[in-house]
Amino acid sequence: MAKAKPSMKSRDAETTKMAILDAAELEFGKRGLLGARTENIAEGANVTRAMIHYYYDSKEKLYQAVLERALASRIKIAEEMDVYAGTPTNLLEQYIRKLLSDMSRRPNLPLIMLFEGVQNEGRLYRQIAVNSSYGPLRKILERGVQEGIFREMDVTQVAVNIMGMCVFYVVARFNLQHLFERDVLTPELFNAHTEEAVTMMLAGVLKHQPSGNQDCSV
Amino acid sequence: MAKAKPSMKSRDAETTKMAILDAAELEFGKRGLLGARTENIAEGANVTRAMIHYYYDSKEKLYQAVLERALASRIKIAEEMDVYAGTPTNLLEQYIRKLLSDMSRRPNLPLIMLFEGVQNEGRLYRQIAVNSSYGPLRKILERGVQEGIFREMDVTQVAVNIMGMCVFYVVARFNLQHLFERDVLTPELFNAHTEEAVTMMLAGVLKHQPSGNQDCSV
DNA sequence: CAATTAACTAACATGTTAGTTAGTATCCTC
DNA sequence: GAGGATACTAACTAACATGTTAGTTAATTG
């Protein structure tokens, strides 16, 4: 009964640790490991820079903590997918929607993973990250091809292209806002993106015939 | 007749300027403006750090020079496209192939443009960049829809998705090499990507009917 | 082939950043 | 409500990064 309202404390280790981690996610997502400034992280978390070292020891270890949390969330999505429950078409649509909604909620994670690859040449971003991201997608696609619902394809390449459509919109959001002339993460715009993405991806994998020559359409 | 072989000079201003610009493109592409180290640029160009200031005044002005060159190359592609010469389908395919081949040749440019948006919130990456990248694409798509060859769509969203497929493969190449288990820019892999991308994009915009129920396929 | 200019270097000055430390305030338990 | 433990701060240091400057070497030209 001691700790009735732990969130009311002005000094709570867990709260500040989280505040630092969140602020770090933002800063590392914006500037990467090298470009990030600990002062910006501290400011964003409303603590002094010393707290970063108090809780996370060093800038790099804080970065690793951020990376791990990002990865964990991606792995969680992968694990939640049952790639055998449903038709490949439905599964694919479901997975894309889940992925996109997760990205809109935490739009910095894809950026951090991208940075990690580019700046550290993926030293910390290894097989596990790749597998959790592309594993379910590839399995769904493979099943679809086997069952004759999806066209013949290079499954890995198609998985990358699908992921690309999802990720690009989020990581390029600051550039894209010049194109749309407003914030692209507003529900309105993001829903439009989701629908177009789903449409394109399904069209891209399903067997189909162009309606150009209408020999048999009547 | 004085300067017969300007490239043989051991001290040539243009050569070193270019060497610095190329090295800068690499370094800024890897780490962005803040993360980039002038020493790495100098080392990459085989000159002393002072030369950077001698020719480009400051790190930031050098960055701007790199950005401008990147932008110019994108604008050039846009200008070379005649969006009225050919069918929308052919034009789209042509444009995608051109874009992709350009990116494989200079894979750091998309990265720099992405960094610019994220780190500086696109202060230097303005309307002009967006227009040159998405202008031709949107025009082609609009024409296709008007002519009834392409399905009804949100042209801007589809343009972004197409660009996303092209850009993601290149900017995420360090992550993707764990997936493909080798360099993804080798002609072999990059060609495979190009073909799958073209296939998916065309399928994504063309009017078509799924062949699921095969009433009329014989 | 001197004189002049342009390309370049090395050492230095200045500002910034990560990380440290010694001390203070707040919380919790008995 | 005393005492110990934990959360936190402010001031500092050492390392590093950018930018400067005075001097050196190579090319050009009359």
Side-chain angles (χ1 to χ4, degrees):
Chain A
M1 278 287 206
K3 38 183 76 176
K5 290 217 168 188
S7 61
M8 289 304 282
K9 286 188 292 187
S10 66
R11 306 182 141 204
D12 182 51
E14 281 311 306
T15 304
T16 33
K17 266 187 91 167
M18 271 311 209
I20 291 171
L21 204 60
D22 286 337
E25 187 175 301
L26 190 74
E27 177 70 4
F28 285 129
K30 267 202 169 154
R31 314 195 203 278
L33 173 57
L34 270 167
R37 297 290 111 102
T38 54
E39 192 180 326
N40 293 343
I41 295 171
E43 199 184 341
N46 272 311
V47 297
T48 55
R49 281 190 319 103
M51 286 295 93
I52 291 170
H53 300 283
Y54 184 63
Y55 285 116
Y56 294 96
D57 210 64
S58 71
K59 183 188 181 184
E60 188 147 349
K61 289 210 180 117
L62 172 59
Y63 175 74
Q64 276 176 30
V66 169
L67 246 194
E68 261 163 49
R69 190 172 67 163
L71 231 97
S73 107
R74 187 60 62 89
I75 290 170
K76 191 164 161 266
I77 293 181
E79 280 173 350
E80 279 169 13
M81 279 297 299
D82 180 355
V83 295
Y84 299 103
T87 67
T89 312
N90 285 340
L91 275 168
L92 183 60
E93 183 171 343
Q94 224 180 292
Y95 188 70
I96 293 165
R97 287 186 188 277
K98 205 164 195 172
L99 213 65
L100 279 170
S101 111
D102 187 63
M103 284 180 188
S104 78
R105 237 177 295 124
R106 304 181 76 90
N108 291 312
L109 298 189
L111 220 33
I112 288 177
M113 286 174 161
L114 204 69
F115 270 119
E116 169 56 24
V118 174
Q119 297 193 346
N120 302 344
E121 285 178 15
R123 270 181 289 117
L124 300 169
Y125 182 99
R126 295 209 170 277
Q127 230 61 35
I128 185 165
V130 166
N131 284 341
S132 59
S133 293
Y134 294 93
L137 206 41
R138 288 166 84 182
K139 271 186 199 139
I140 294 169
L141 292 172
E142 267 161 27
R143 247 197 73 203
V145 173
Q146 272 166 27
E147 295 182 14
I149 297 165
F150 296 167
R151 64 178 175 85
E152 291 294 318
M153 63 175 79
D154 183 330
V155 166
T156 310
Q157 290 283 0
V158 172
V160 170
N161 285 338
I162 289 175
M163 195 61 85
M165 269 201 236
C166 295
V167 171
F168 180 73
Y169 187 84
V170 179
V171 299
R173 62 185 184 275
F174 300 103
N175 297 329
L176 295 178
Q177 72 190 6
H178 290 299
L179 186 67
F180 287 100
E181 288 173 332
R182 65 207 143 116
D183 178 16
V184 301
L185 292 182
T186 56
E188 182 200 5
L189 267 185
F190 198 82
N191 286 341
H193 169 247
T194 303
E195 296 314 316
E196 279 297 350
V198 167
T199 304
M200 286 188 77
M201 290 173 199
L202 290 182
V205 299
L206 283 169
K207 277 190 177 166
H208 60 258
Q209 41 187 151
S211 65
N213 50 354
Q214 317 255 32
D215 324 24
C216 63
S217 68
V218 189
Chain B
M1 280 286 208
K3 37 182 75 174
K5 289 218 169 189
S7 62
M8 288 304 281
K9 288 189 292 188
S10 64
R11 304 181 146 206
D12 182 50
E14 280 312 304
T15 304
T16 36
K17 266 187 91 167
M18 271 314 212
I20 291 172
L21 205 60
D22 286 338
E25 187 175 301
L26 191 73
E27 177 71 3
F28 285 128
K30 265 203 168 153
R31 313 196 204 278
L33 173 56
L34 271 167
R37 297 289 113 105
T38 55
E39 192 177 327
N40 292 343
I41 296 171
E43 199 183 341
N46 272 311
V47 297
T48 55
R49 279 189 322 101
M51 284 295 94
I52 289 169
H53 300 282
Y54 184 65
Y55 285 116
Y56 294 95
D57 208 63
S58 71
K59 183 190 182 184
E60 187 146 350
K61 289 211 181 119
L62 172 59
Y63 175 74
Q64 277 175 31
V66 170
L67 246 195
E68 261 162 50
R69 190 172 68 163
L71 230 96
S73 107
R74 188 59 62 87
I75 290 170
K76 189 163 161 270
I77 293 181
E79 281 173 350
E80 279 171 12
M81 279 299 297
D82 181 355
V83 295
Y84 299 103
T87 67
T89 312
N90 285 340
L91 275 168
L92 182 60
E93 182 170 345
Q94 223 180 293
Y95 188 69
I96 293 165
R97 286 186 188 278
K98 205 165 196 172
L99 213 65
L100 279 170
S101 109
D102 187 63
M103 284 180 187
S104 79
R105 238 176 294 122
R106 304 181 78 89
N108 291 313
L109 298 189
L111 220 34
I112 287 175
M113 286 173 162
L114 204 69
F115 269 119
E116 169 56 24
V118 174
Q119 298 194 343
N120 302 344
E121 285 180 12
R123 271 183 286 116
L124 299 169
Y125 182 97
R126 293 206 171 283
Q127 229 60 36
I128 186 166
V130 166
N131 285 339
S132 59
S133 291
Y134 295 93
L137 206 42
R138 287 164 84 183
K139 272 188 198 138
I140 294 169
L141 292 173
E142 267 161 26
R143 249 197 73 201
V145 174
Q146 271 166 27
E147 294 180 14
I149 297 165
F150 295 167
R151 65 177 173 85
E152 290 295 316
M153 63 175 79
D154 183 329
V155 168
T156 310
Q157 291 282 2
V158 171
V160 170
N161 284 339
I162 289 175
M163 194 61 84
M165 268 200 237
C166 296
V167 171
F168 180 74
Y169 187 85
V170 179
V171 299
R173 62 185 184 275
F174 299 104
N175 296 330
L176 295 177
Q177 74 190 4
H178 290 298
L179 186 67
F180 288 100
E181 288 174 329
R182 65 208 142 117
D183 179 14
V184 300
L185 291 183
T186 55
E188 180 199 6
L189 267 185
F190 198 82
N191 286 341
H193 170 248
T194 302
E195 295 314 317
E196 280 296 350
V198 167
T199 304
M200 287 189 76
M201 290 175 200
L202 290 182
V205 299
L206 283 169
K207 279 188 178 169
H208 61 259
Q209 41 188 149
S211 66
N213 50 354
Q214 315 253 32
D215 325 23
C216 62
S217 69
V218 189

